Amino acid sequence: MSDFIEITDLNSDDLSIYNEFSENQLFHINEPEPGIFIAESPKVIDRALDAGFSPISVLLDIEQTEGEAAPVLSRINASFPNVPIYVASDSVLTKITGFHLTRGVLCAMQRKELPSVSDICEGAKRIVVMENVTNPTNAGAIVRSAAALGIDAVLFSHGCTDPLYRRAIRVSMGTIFQIPWTFLPEGDSTALLRKLGFTTIAMALRENSMSIDDEKIKSAEKLAIFMGAEGDGLLPETIDSCDHCVMIPMSHGVDSLNVAAASAVAFWAVRNY
C-alpha cells in the first residue's frame, strides 16, 4: 500500500475539500462538469466504488489504517494508486471537518453524469418519486427502504435534497449506489411517467383515497409511487394529476406516518416479487 500522508497543517490546501467547502459548493465546484461528494464509512465507500465512482482523496483516523477501513484502503490503492490517503488523530479530524467521523473515514469522490428518466425506468415495474423531500435523513431512509423492498428506481424532483449529500448517503447505508436513480426534468412528471407506461399513485390523505393494499393498486403492472415532504406532503396539483390517491390505513386515531416509515409500508404492500 502507498504511504499514508500524516496531516500536520490543518490549513493545507490538500484538505480544502473537507474543511472549506459546503456540500452545496462541492456539488457545483466543477461546473459545467459534475462536482464532488463526500462518502463516509468503509461500507458506504465500498458501495460507491462498486457503482463506478472514482475517489479523489481519503481522510481517516490513523487508527483505522489497520482497522475496519483497511480493506477499502487496499482496494483504493490497488485501483487508484495515485489517490492520496491522509491520516490524523480523531481529535485533529474533528477540528478539520467540524464533526466526529462515523467509522473514522471520509472519501471525496467524483460525481458522474446522471442518466435520463427513460433510461432509469427501462424495465422497471415499481418506482418511487420523491417530491420536495428536503430532509436528507428522510431521503436516505426512503432510498434504503426502496433498495431493500423491491423498488426498481428512485426519481427526485428538483426540490429534493441531493441524495449524495453526506448524511443522506450515510442514512441510506450506501444503498443509493445500489439502486438506479436520477432527477426529474421540470414539468409534469405524472404525464412523463404515464407515457412510460406507469400507473401513478399519490400517497396522500384525502376522502377519495384508496387503501395501499387495494387489489387495483397491487395488480398494476407498472407503478409509480409519489411521496411528498414531511408535513406538507405532495403538492395539490401533483395529487390531482395522479391516477389514484392512496393511503395507509391507520388505527388509534393516528392520521399518518413519518414519510420514511410510510415508504417502507407502501413498498412492501405493492411489491411484485
Side-chain angles (χ1 to χ4, degrees):
M1 181 175 292
S2 61
D3 293 336
F4 298 116
I5 304 169
E6 188 165 1
I7 296 167
T8 56
D9 180 6
L10 298 184
N11 297 313
S12 169
D13 289 342
D14 294 333
L15 301 177
S16 61
I17 289 175
Y18 301 100
N19 67 0
E20 290 185 13
F21 295 93
S22 69
E23 291 189 275
N24 187 56
Q25 288 172 321
L26 291 177
F27 181 94
H28 296 285
I29 197 169
N30 294 328
E31 287 184 339
E33 299 300 317
I36 295 168
F37 69 93
I38 305 294
E40 181 180 2
S41 86
K43 179 178 289 186
V44 168
I45 295 167
D46 216 29
R47 288 176 173 172
L49 293 171
D50 287 344
F53 288 91
S54 299
I56 297 171
S57 65
V58 181
L59 175 64
L60 76 155
D61 185 334
I62 195 166
E63 294 185 2
Q64 280 289 340
T65 57
E66 296 182 359
E68 187 179 351
V72 76
L73 296 178
S74 295
R75 180 180 179 183
I76 290 173
N77 186 68
S79 300
F80 306 92
N82 295 322
V83 167
I85 300 175
Y86 301 103
V87 297
S89 67
D90 178 69
S91 61
V92 171
L93 290 180
T94 300
K95 290 178 182 178
I96 293 170
T97 62
F99 56 86
H100 177 72
L101 297 187
T102 300
R103 308 294 186 183
V105 56
L106 297 176
C107 183
M109 308 192 87
Q110 181 68 50
R111 290 175 182 264
K112 300 190 293 185
E113 292 286 351
L114 291 176
S116 67
V117 172
S118 58
D119 286 344
I120 285 292
C121 293
E122 185 175 357
K125 298 297 184 182
R126 297 288 186 268
I127 66 173
V128 60
V129 182
M130 288 190 227
E131 180 181 82
N132 301 336
V133 177
T134 57
N135 186 307
T137 298
N138 282 335
I142 293 170
V143 167
R144 186 175 180 181
S145 292
L149 299 173
I151 298 300
D152 300 311
V154 182
L155 300 177
F156 297 88
S157 77
H158 279 277
C160 286
T161 187
D162 177 9
L164 293 187
Y165 278 175
R166 182 181 64 87
R167 182 165 181 78
I169 297 174
R170 182 159 64 84
V171 173
S172 83
M173 291 296 291
T175 55
I176 189 64
F177 303 116
Q178 296 176 287
I179 187 168
W181 65 273
T182 195
F183 276 88
L184 285 158
E186 299 290 348
D188 188 342
S189 55
T190 55
L192 171 62
L193 293 175
R194 203 170 286 116
K195 287 181 181 178
L196 294 173
F198 288 89
T199 298
T200 57
I201 64 171
M203 297 296 298
L205 300 174
R206 285 195 172 183
E207 290 185 2
N208 65 338
S209 292
M210 304 165 60
S211 174
I212 188 65
D213 59 0
D214 188 288
E215 189 58 34
K216 184 182 292 186
I217 303 299
K218 295 174 66 174
S219 64
E221 181 181 359
K222 300 174 70 173
L223 198 62
I225 307 160
F226 281 72
M227 309 198 78
E230 189 75 17
D232 293 338
L234 291 168
L235 296 173
E237 55 266 34
T238 301
I239 299 173
D240 291 338
S241 64
C242 281
D243 296 314
H244 304 289
C245 191
V246 174
M247 64 178 292
I248 298 169
M250 300 281 129
S251 62
H252 297 291
V254 178
D255 63 351
S256 64
L257 296 173
N258 164 275
V259 65
S263 73
V265 174
F267 300 159
W268 175 253
V270 302
R271 68 194 185 281
N272 66 340
Y273 61 91

